[in-house]
């Protein structure tokens, strides 16, 4: 049995920042669970009902997007 999905409850400023940087909703959710909730990739995979490899892929793409956005500031 999988645990119930976790609602992301980050501050509006973090949510706005991540959204404004062009992250997809899934990338945003993965980063939020990794950073704010301090969940392991295996826990995120179970929570979101996706493969662990997908968690790593979403994290990698999100971090690359953030790096690109930071370079434009």
């Amino acid at each position: 049995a999988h645990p119930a999905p976790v609602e992301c409850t980050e501050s509006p400023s973090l949510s706005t920042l991540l959204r404004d940087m062009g992250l997809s909703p899934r990338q945003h959710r993965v980063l939020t669970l990794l950073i704010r909730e301090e969940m392991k990739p295996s826990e995120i995979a179970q929570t979101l009902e996706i493969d662990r490899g997908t968690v790593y892929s979403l994290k990698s793409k999100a971090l690359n997007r953030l790096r690109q956005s930071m370079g434009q500031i």
Side-chain angles (χ1 to χ4, degrees), residues 8-73:
C8 296
T9 56
E10 70 276 354
S11 67
S13 59
L14 175 61
S15 179
T16 301
L17 175 67
L18 293 176
R19 187 181 60 244
D20 289 350
M21 289 191 170
L23 297 182
S24 73
R26 286 176 23 141
Q27 291 169 336
H28 178 249
R29 184 101 188 250
V30 165
L31 282 189
T32 299
L33 293 175
L34 277 168
I35 297 167
R36 300 279 304 206
E37 303 297 327
E38 299 180 358
M39 294 176 75
K40 296 177 184 177
S42 59
E43 295 171 321
I44 294 169
Q46 192 173 26
T47 298
L48 300 180
E49 299 179 353
I50 58 176
D51 291 331
R52 190 171 47 177
T54 303
V55 173
Y56 287 112
S57 176
L58 289 167
K59 178 183 104 172
S60 176
K61 290 176 182 177
L63 292 176
N64 284 336
R65 181 68 190 123
L66 289 174
R67 284 185 199 103
Q68 290 173 353
S69 294
M70 295 298 288
Q72 296 173 359
I73 295 176

